[in-house]
Amino acid sequence: MTTTYSEQLNTREWESVNTAYQALQAEPLTLDNVQQWLQRWSDLEAQIYEDTGNARSRANENTADKEAEALHLHYVREILPKVQVAHEELKTKLLNLEGYEPPAEQATMMRAFRTDQRLFREENVPLQAEATVIGNEYMKTVGAMNIEWEGESYTLDQAELLLRDPNRENREQAWRQIHERWLQDREGLNDVFLKLLDLRRRIARNAGFDNYREYAWLERGRHEYTPEDAATFHDAIEHEVVPVARRIYERRREALGLDALRPWDLDVETTSAPALSPFQTGADLEEGCSRIFHAVDPVLGQQFDALREGYLDLESRANKAPGGYCRPMHVAQRSYIFMNAVGTHRNVQTLLHEGGHAFHNQHAFHWPLIWMRRAPTEMAEVGSMALEMLAQPYLAQENGGFYTQEEANRARAEHLEKVILFYPYMAVVDAFQHWVYTDAPEALTAADLDAKWAELWDRFMVGIDYSGLDA
């Protein structure tokens, strides 16, 4: 189990961190002491990544907090790049230990170490730090976005509620305001993407790869399937899922009595029933999901309740970074969940999903070394997606959830439809990434990106009329 590394360790000061790394580097490494040495190294990095993760989360919680941003960027620019170099030096020391046969449970960890060693180039360290800084600029830009509606200010997440208005004119106006707000920062966001693309191409070439996809494939631990398999999956989505999505959209169009389904028609109820409103506050969301997790399994319920003691930030608010995530805290033996809830069923599903990640983390904390607890994205999503499904029988109030039985049936149907409709969008995003990191021209422009995105959108996103909305 991970322990606090040392009261003397100050992760904000490189001299303090470096002293700890140098002690590990100087210590003779033998077959007799390797496990104890690995544990001390693991405990050190657990403390570093807990502190840096906490700094990142504080900056995400309020992107206008200059002090929180400064600490986050201090770690990104001044501490983590040096940690990365020191980490590689210790990794080399371990991999060069003659005669070391790791126990079976460390085989995946050692494979990841060997892959990391193959990818590492010291000249990439500042480039990777710069990429993180640029990503923070994206968070600040999007976190500051809002729209004015009937005299009130709405975050973009809160504004999504307006798209459930039965009045179609109101929905259209809200949709246009949301997207006009995005367009205000379009040029800056385009610049962010192109800067990141340039950095990623340089990182890949420095490491000896022809393109960034080859580099990223290994960096993400994808040993079990290939880019060609992903392309096959795109084709399967196009031929098997897209026709189903088209039928879902057509059924929605008919239910709403429309000549054409427009993008502002996708979230409104198709019946006279009011939109699902499972909760009003983040506390309501916590309490309801706690009941659901307890119904799924009492152990999971207890684990979630432990996160309610300061490890959840759920509600959308001004200057909060977009999106949602679950972050393991290896020293505290807890997970931190970040999201932007506004009172929808989609938010319920998000917390159930992130709760699945948290339970995965909790059941991995028993491994002694932090590197043994890490799973590639594909496997990490198994727990989260499973919890979304396992929770479905408990959405009704009589089983612990938020809804009447009729509402619970609607919620389940909505969730399953959203799963199907997600696949075509996912294919757009994934196929776009494959192209941009392999086949896109060297002198790429924002117009090139738009053209490719539009091509893929037309291939996968059928059934919605976007005519006249080109920006």
Side-chain angles (χ1 to χ4, degrees), residues 458-470:
D458 289 343
R459 176 184 172 189
F460 292 103
M461 298 297 291
V462 300
I464 308 169
D465 182 5
Y466 285 90
S467 60
L469 298 176
D470 296 337

Side-chain angles (χ1 to χ4, degrees), residues 287-306:
E287 182 61 34
C289 284
S290 173
R291 294 194 302 269
I292 289 173
F293 287 135
H294 275 279
V296 173
D297 187 277
V299 173
L300 300 184
Q302 292 168 8
Q303 291 176 356
F304 180 76
D305 288 346

Side-chain angles (χ1 to χ4, degrees), residues 19 29 33-34 39 68 106 126 140 185 231 271 290 308 417 440 442 452 467:
T19 297
L29 186 60
N33 73 355
V34 61
Q39 188 64 63
Q106 292 180 8
K140 285 177 60 179
D185 286 303
T271 69
S290 173
R308 300 180 69 190
E417 278 196 352
E442 189 67 23
K452 186 63 180 182
S467 60

Side-chain angles (χ1 to χ4, degrees), residues 118-130:
R118 176 185 172 187
L119 296 176
F120 179 76
R121 299 293 186 278
E122 190 161 350
E123 61 266 34
N124 278 339
V125 172
L127 301 182
Q128 291 162 334
E130 186 179 350

Side-chain angles (χ1 to χ4, degrees), residues 80-251:
L80 289 177
K82 297 171 184 175
V83 165
Q84 189 177 354
V85 174
H87 173 93
E88 290 303 319
E89 291 172 350
L90 294 185
K91 191 179 297 178
T92 299
K93 183 182 178 80
L94 173 66
L95 293 174
N96 288 344
L97 179 59
E98 188 174 348
Y100 180 50
E101 295 291 338
E105 60 269 22
Q106 292 180 8
T108 301
M109 178 190 86
M110 295 298 290
R111 181 179 68 176
F113 277 7
R114 288 189 292 270
T115 300
D116 290 346
Q117 186 181 58
R118 176 185 172 187
L119 296 176
F120 179 76
R121 299 293 186 278
E122 190 161 350
E123 61 266 34
N124 278 339
V125 172
L127 301 182
Q128 291 162 334
E130 186 179 350
T132 302
V133 172
I134 293 172
N136 187 68
E137 287 301 312
Y138 169 83
M139 291 294 192
K140 285 177 60 179
T141 299
V142 178
M145 289 182 181
N146 57 35
I147 68 167
E148 296 297 320
W149 184 268
E150 297 183 347
E152 293 187 32
S153 180
Y154 287 74
T155 68
L156 295 192
D157 286 291
Q158 292 165 345
E160 295 289 333
L161 293 174
L162 303 173
L163 301 179
R164 305 196 298 171
D165 192 325
N167 185 303
R168 197 182 191 206
E169 290 184 1
N170 289 346
R171 296 199 306 272
E172 178 178 355
Q173 182 182 351
W175 187 93
R176 290 182 181 275
Q177 280 193 230
I178 291 167
H179 287 79
E180 285 166 5
R181 181 62 189 88
W182 277 101
L183 291 174
Q184 289 178 30
D185 286 303
R186 178 175 183 171
E187 186 175 338
L189 294 175
N190 285 344
D191 288 343
V192 164
F193 186 87
L194 291 171
K195 287 177 182 176
L196 286 172
L197 176 59
D198 176 65
L199 286 171
R200 289 166 179 165
R201 284 171 165 173
R202 290 161 61 189
I203 288 168
R205 288 166 184 161
N206 287 344
F209 293 89
D210 291 334
N211 60 67
Y212 182 71
R213 185 181 70 178
E214 292 180 1
Y215 174 92
W217 210 263
L218 287 176
E219 184 187 40
R220 285 157 175 74
R222 293 173 179 165
H223 300 282
E224 290 77 20
Y225 71 106
T226 68
E228 291 71 28
D229 292 327
T232 299
F233 190 33
H234 301 161
D235 289 340
I237 291 171
E238 179 181 12
H239 293 102
E240 302 298 331
V241 182
V242 167
V244 179
R246 187 194 296 272
R247 292 198 295 272
I248 291 173
Y249 287 132
E250 178 61 15
R251 186 173 63 195

